Amino acid sequence: MKIAIVHEWLTVIAGSESCFKEFAQIYPEADIFVLVSDEKSLVKLNIDPSRVTNSFIQKLPKSKTKWKNYLPLFPFAIEQFDLSEYDVIISSSHAVAKGVITNALQTHICYIYSPIRYAWDLYHQYLDESNLKKGLKGFLAKSVLHYIRKWDRTTSNNVDEFIPISKYIEKRVWRTYRRKSYKVIYPPVAVEDFTLKIEKEDFYLAASRLVPYKKIDLIVEAFAQTPEKKLIVIGDGPDLDKIKEKAKDNISILGYQSFDVLKDHMQRAKAFIFAAEEDFGIIPIEAQACGTPVIAYGKGGSLETVKGKFKGQSIDEEDTGVYFDKQSVPALIEAISHFEDNYVKFNPLNIRKFALTFDKKIFIQDIKKTFAEIIEKHKK
């Protein structure tokens, strides 16, 4: 049985690349197809370059750093891979990987992180943040995204079975493609890299890449209005200067830090603050693996990765955090107050126990079993 694994790009290491790495290790004989890759990322992922076939985008100027500039070419590029000799195609897709051309004798399994967010759910936000709402560039961008939406929906028919990363994405797959998913399998989290610490200190932690949708600025504004509470922010990104300007004396912006420094803060923090609407969200699970409760925006993947309650709901010993219902400063301040009123009810041992349900070993076992079931079901 010949297997091909398709992914969008291997130029940065993020959550989807962690899943891709596991697929590549589960099927070490599989060939790999990507739009673009770089040598450093392949080394980090322990991928032999001889396994990798890149698209023509690889040869375009600055493709390894500015690959997103070639967005209009992505659908055409992914369709150029000739996968006709393979029995099984596994697409690891958050943009166009699922759009590879397959035939009736092949089984195509798509592990999907999301339908293309900037073409669907984040369409207006993407245009606004990129200053593409008006003018000729705006017209061209809207036309490209309109085409990609049509292409994306059409190519969903190339997939035999979808496996979404969360129930939240399962709903989005149905809404976008009108396709039922085979089952949800949560992404792997390296919880064994994070160790439990029972004793906590009197500070809150936020850690993320500093980009608009992560809402770190909202967290900083909330603590700027509550000067008696201490906040530490770890992370770097284009919003760093803007966030520093909003910080008061009770807020420390540490910028980029090593993994050991991040883990140390996660272990000691009174709570981890997470204000983004994510498809899944790995970092709150990492914090919980340290026995640290989470204060999270109660929408999207957080409803699955944090076992929490909203204000007015009773906290019990199995809970791992609290939710706030709006991405606003007053809502977050209210959630922090709710958390502090119930702080003694949170048990670090139970919090870590919940985090362990997302362990990488569970992911590998579930993926192997599920892929085998699907291949057997779709034997041609």
Side-chain angles (χ1 to χ4, degrees), residues 82-260:
D82 181 2
L83 306 181
S84 57
E85 66 180 279
Y86 296 93
D87 304 294
V88 176
I89 290 89
I90 299 168
S91 59
S92 169
S93 184
H94 53 65
V96 299
K98 72 159 184 50
V100 289
I101 295 175
T102 58
N103 62 53
L105 298 177
Q106 297 171 307
T107 299
H108 181 182
I109 306 167
C110 178
Y111 187 75
I112 186 165
Y113 309 97
S114 175
I116 310 174
R117 293 200 74 181
Y118 36 82
W120 294 102
D121 296 72
L122 296 183
Y123 172 71
H124 294 288
Q125 181 179 329
Y126 170 76
L127 293 175
D128 191 37
E129 291 176 357
S130 303
N131 197 27
L132 292 171
K133 288 226 166 181
K134 299 179 181 178
L136 179 60
K137 285 186 177 179
F139 173 78
L140 292 173
K142 292 172 188 176
S143 299
V144 167
L145 292 173
H146 176 71
Y147 162 72
I148 287 177
R149 278 194 300 275
K150 292 174 67 176
W151 176 89
D152 187 43
R153 181 167 284 164
T154 299
T155 56
S156 68
N157 295 318
N158 295 349
V159 177
D160 289 296
E161 301 288 355
F162 282 102
I163 300 176
I165 64 168
S166 65
K167 295 175 183 176
Y168 181 57
I169 295 303
E170 180 181 32
K171 292 177 182 176
R172 193 180 292 165
V173 166
W174 170 254
R175 187 176 70 242
T176 306
Y177 306 136
R178 286 297 184 263
R179 291 286 305 276
K180 289 185 178 180
S181 299
Y182 188 80
K183 70 179 294 187
V184 171
I185 298 181
Y186 294 125
V189 182
V191 292
E192 69 276 5
D193 292 343
F194 297 84
T195 48
L196 175 68
K197 187 176 178 64
I198 301 293
E199 302 80 14
K200 304 299 178 182
E201 299 179 20
D202 192 22
F203 70 89
Y204 293 86
L205 175 68
S208 169
R209 179 161 168 73
L210 304 183
V211 292
Y213 88 93
K214 295 291 188 178
K215 301 295 182 183
I216 300 298
D217 57 336
L218 183 154
I219 299 172
V220 169
E221 287 173 19
F223 278 84
Q225 294 184 24
T226 52
E228 72 282 5
K229 305 182 196 306
K230 183 179 178 181
L231 172 70
I232 295 176
V233 177
I234 292 177
D236 198 359
D239 282 2
L240 179 61
D241 291 338
K242 181 177 75 172
I243 288 169
K244 282 184 174 179
E245 289 176 3
K246 295 182 177 184
K248 303 297 183 182
D249 291 342
N250 61 317
I251 301 168
S252 300
I253 312 294
L254 303 186
Y256 171 80
Q257 297 293 322
S258 68
F259 171 77
D260 288 340

Side-chain angles (χ1 to χ4, degrees), residues 206-333:
S208 169
R209 179 161 168 73
L210 304 183
V211 292
Y213 88 93
K214 295 291 188 178
K215 301 295 182 183
I216 300 298
D217 57 336
L218 183 154
I219 299 172
V220 169
E221 287 173 19
F223 278 84
Q225 294 184 24
T226 52
E228 72 282 5
K229 305 182 196 306
K230 183 179 178 181
L231 172 70
I232 295 176
V233 177
I234 292 177
D236 198 359
D239 282 2
L240 179 61
D241 291 338
K242 181 177 75 172
I243 288 169
K244 282 184 174 179
E245 289 176 3
K246 295 182 177 184
K248 303 297 183 182
D249 291 342
N250 61 317
I251 301 168
S252 300
I253 312 294
L254 303 186
Y256 171 80
Q257 297 293 322
S258 68
F259 171 77
D260 288 340
V261 172
L262 173 62
K263 183 173 78 168
D264 174 63
H265 283 81
M266 278 186 171
Q267 290 173 317
R268 295 186 291 113
K270 187 174 186 177
F272 185 84
I273 314 285
F274 190 72
E277 180 184 344
E278 289 279 16
D279 303 327
F280 179 68
I282 288 177
I283 199 165
I285 299 172
E286 295 172 340
Q288 290 170 94
C290 299
T292 301
V294 177
I295 301 171
Y297 176 47
K299 190 175 180 183
S302 295
L303 292 172
E304 299 169 64
T305 59
V306 179
K307 196 172 183 181
K309 298 286 177 59
F310 289 95
K311 185 180 179 183
Q313 297 177 324
S314 178
I315 303 293
D316 61 52
E317 64 178 13
E318 297 299 319
D319 286 319
T320 68
V322 300
Y323 299 128
F324 52 101
D325 60 1
K326 294 179 182 177
Q327 286 176 314
S328 70
V329 169
L332 177 53
I333 292 175

Side-chain angles (χ1 to χ4, degrees), residues 328-379:
S328 70
V329 169
L332 177 53
I333 292 175
E334 189 174 66
I336 295 169
S337 177
H338 182 216
F339 168 77
E340 292 187 341
D341 289 343
N342 292 276
Y343 181 63
V344 295
K345 298 180 181 178
F346 292 103
N347 184 329
L349 292 172
N350 289 338
I351 293 172
R352 178 169 172 82
K353 181 180 177 181
F354 175 71
L356 290 174
T357 63
F358 298 93
D359 184 66
K360 182 168 66 174
K361 297 185 185 73
I362 295 174
F363 170 82
I364 293 171
Q365 291 171 359
D366 207 357
I367 280 290
K368 284 181 177 179
K369 179 183 176 184
T370 302
F371 281 8
E373 289 175 355
I374 292 172
I375 292 168
E376 180 65 26
K377 174 184 173 182
H378 290 275
K379 271 187 176 178

